[in-house]
Amino acid sequence: MDSSQEHPTSCCITKETGGALHRVLCMQGGDDDSSYAKNSEAPASAISLCRPLLLKAIQSMKVFFSNKDEAESLRIADLGCATGYNTLATIDMVVDALRQQYINHCGFEPEFEAFFSDLPSNDFNSLFRSLSNIADKKTKQYYAAGVPGSFYTRLFPRGKLHVAVSLSALHWLSQIPDAVLEKTSAAWNKGRVWIDGAKKEVVEAYAKQSEKDLEDFLSCRKEEMVQGGMLFLLMGGRPASQQPENQLGDPDSRAKHPFTTSLDQAWQDLINEGLIDEETRDGFNIPAYMRSMAEVERAIKRCGGFEIERMEYSRIVEHSLEKQKQWMRDPISYGRAKANLVRATLGPIAEAHLGPYLSHQLFIRFQNRVSSDIALLHKTCYYGVIVVCAIRT
């Protein structure tokens, strides 16, 4: 009996189960070295980049209540909150800015409700433990609640949200396109696990799914938000000059990005060692798509109900120069750090596809590949992001 029979896959993501992706797609929970909470430096950098834009947008918002006796609570939602510091810091920032807005213009502080929303598979326990620890150290800033569910569906009653933010989440799709999971389809993504550099049919299937997902997201928020409410989005993106088959931009980013070369090599290592067959590899696809600003703008205009106040594209470096120098002295630690990053974002879906044993082997191969390629350390990887501020009209 070969190893693939000794360690069978637990839940291959096939065309039949692809629609159930929401049950396993989540950032790695907990607070150990491979958790998302310990491996979210790039999203944190992106949030820091957009912080001035978010604060300026809040400061330009009209107040919703002018009389304290008539004021309801202000409701804020973080859609795709994951776990860890990023979501808590974001909500704190929004609440503080709104509170100051009311003190300055109305002379009173309204109450706040904060809704942390993500897929049911998200580690809400870790999130609320972190929230509890923070709340114990300072005065309560808001009333918190968890809202499990896909943000591609309705999550809140009609006309209730005053601010909705989604930071580093909307590039994750609701499902892997059906055509990509069909072995007889021209869009069967043979030989790779993502779409950067993939053939035309694969890219087109992803682009179509991305378009539908973004329009679904916007349509739901259109129903849930009050008139004058603010929608603030930060998502992975690509510049206008790049076609969708080039998801990452420059060659160094493509070579070094954790979703591309080293990960494909790690999957091939499992095949070469007889641990899995090619069909198992080809059936795994990362459900992420980096949109252009034109794609985002088109979706917003089709949906209606929102006026774009600001939209821009930026690039974020993967890590600091200090860390890069540190890792050059210790490539093993670099490989371990990158493997933890990949496990934090892809661990749950890899385990659903391969099972615990083989998914662990995959990340070991990935770590070894990255550690042994010293040239990677001399490359700089950039993540493209799109920031959108829109007002509900």
Side-chain angles (χ1 to χ4, degrees):
M1 180 179 289
D2 64 23
S3 296
S4 63
Q5 290 172 309
E6 292 174 10
H7 306 283
T9 61
S10 64
C11 176
C12 284
I13 301 173
T14 63
K15 182 179 179 182
E16 289 70 29
T17 63
L21 183 63
H22 66 277
R23 297 177 185 170
V24 295
L25 177 59
C26 63
M27 301 299 101
Q28 188 74 40
D31 58 2
D32 60 17
D33 288 344
S34 62
S35 66
Y36 181 76
K38 294 283 183 68
N39 292 277
S40 50
E41 181 180 343
S45 298
I47 292 170
S48 295
L49 176 74
C50 74
R51 177 187 172 94
L53 300 179
L54 178 54
L55 290 176
K56 185 176 180 180
I58 293 173
Q59 290 162 3
S60 66
M61 287 176 66
K62 296 178 181 178
V63 295
F64 296 98
F65 323 115
S66 58
N67 188 312
K68 185 175 182 179
D69 294 332
E70 298 175 356
E72 303 174 16
S73 57
L74 283 169
R75 289 173 288 274
I76 305 154
D78 184 351
L79 306 168
C81 63
T83 63
Y85 172 79
N86 289 345
T87 183
L88 301 177
T90 298
I91 293 296
D92 278 351
M93 176 172 58
V94 172
V95 168
D96 287 343
L98 284 171
R99 177 180 288 109
Q100 196 59 51
Q101 183 88 329
Y102 271 82
I103 291 173
N104 292 343
H105 293 277
C106 305
F108 71 90
E109 299 181 29
E111 292 187 316
F112 295 92
E113 296 176 68
F115 300 100
F116 296 90
S117 181
D118 212 314
L119 294 171
S121 48
N122 186 56
D123 187 358
F124 284 100
N125 287 335
S126 289
L127 173 62
F128 284 106
R129 276 196 298 270
S130 299
L131 180 61
S132 177
N133 291 337
I134 292 174
D136 289 342
K137 298 175 183 177
K138 63 181 182 180
T139 304
K140 190 168 189 174
Q141 303 291 306
Y142 49 80
Y143 296 94
V147 181
S150 169
F151 55 36
Y152 295 120
T153 63
R154 282 283 302 277
L155 295 167
F156 302 94
R158 184 172 286 107
K160 292 298 183 182
L161 294 180
H162 298 91
V163 176
V165 299
S166 181
L167 306 179
S168 298
L170 265 169
H171 46 269
W172 294 103
L173 302 178
S174 67
Q175 67 175 72
I176 300 160
D178 287 342
V180 177
L181 295 172
E182 177 56 65
K183 285 183 285 186
T184 60
S185 167
W188 177 249
N189 197 17
K190 185 173 179 57
R192 61 200 321 134
V193 296
W194 197 41
I195 61 166
D196 188 74
K199 58 184 178 179
K200 176 172 68 89
E201 292 85 356
V202 177
V203 176
E204 287 176 349
Y206 266 80
K208 185 177 179 180
Q209 184 67 52
S210 167
E211 181 178 53
K212 178 184 182 302
D213 282 348
L214 186 54
E215 290 184 13
D216 285 346
F217 174 91
L218 292 167
S219 295
C220 293
R221 307 297 82 78
K222 179 180 173 180
E223 294 295 316
E224 295 165 351
M225 298 189 69
V226 303
Q227 188 174 7
M230 183 186 69
L231 178 65
F232 194 89
L233 309 176
L234 167 70
M235 69 189 83
R238 66 181 200 279
S241 59
Q242 290 175 198
Q243 295 302 307
E245 60 269 20
N246 184 0
Q247 291 275 288
L248 300 173
D250 59 90
D252 283 353
S253 292
R254 187 176 304 114
K256 200 175 183 182
H257 194 282
F259 286 2
T260 53
T261 308
S262 298
L263 187 57
D264 281 339
Q265 291 172 340
W267 280 90
Q268 188 61 47
D269 287 340
L270 295 185
I271 294 172
N272 293 344
E273 294 169 35
L275 293 173
I276 64 170
D277 55 26
E278 289 190 4
E279 187 175 313
T280 299
R281 185 268 315 279
D282 297 341
F284 181 88
N285 291 270
I286 299 171
Y289 181 87
M290 309 301 164
R291 300 177 180 94
S292 67
M293 287 202 298
E295 289 172 314
V296 175
E297 183 177 12
R298 184 165 62 244
I300 293 174
K301 287 183 176 179
R302 282 182 179 174
C303 175
F306 290 100
E307 180 180 346
I308 298 173
E309 286 219 326
R310 182 157 187 168
M311 178 163 59
E312 61 182 51
Y313 169 84
S314 299
R315 292 200 313 171
I316 298 168
V317 67
E318 64 170 333
H319 50 66
S320 66
L321 182 61
E322 181 182 359
K323 271 196 172 181
Q324 188 167 355
K325 290 179 178 178
Q326 173 190 331
W327 283 330
M328 284 180 179
R329 295 191 295 269
D330 184 7
I332 299 299
S333 69
Y334 175 65
R336 188 182 309 115
K338 298 299 280 189
N340 284 337
L341 172 63
V342 175
R343 192 187 294 266
T345 53
L346 300 181
I349 60 172
E351 185 168 322
H353 189 73
L354 291 172
Y357 174 79
L358 288 175
S359 63
H360 179 64
Q361 297 304 311
L362 173 68
F363 296 125
I364 289 175
R365 286 1 175 237
F366 178 84
Q367 177 177 326
N368 293 340
R369 283 286 184 175
V370 173
S371 298
S372 62
D373 191 347
I374 305 301
L376 282 181
L377 280 165
H378 296 273
K379 299 179 185 294
T380 301
C381 177
Y382 293 95
Y383 299 104
V385 295
I386 293 173
V387 180
V388 184
C389 176
I391 300 299
R392 178 70 173 91
T393 56

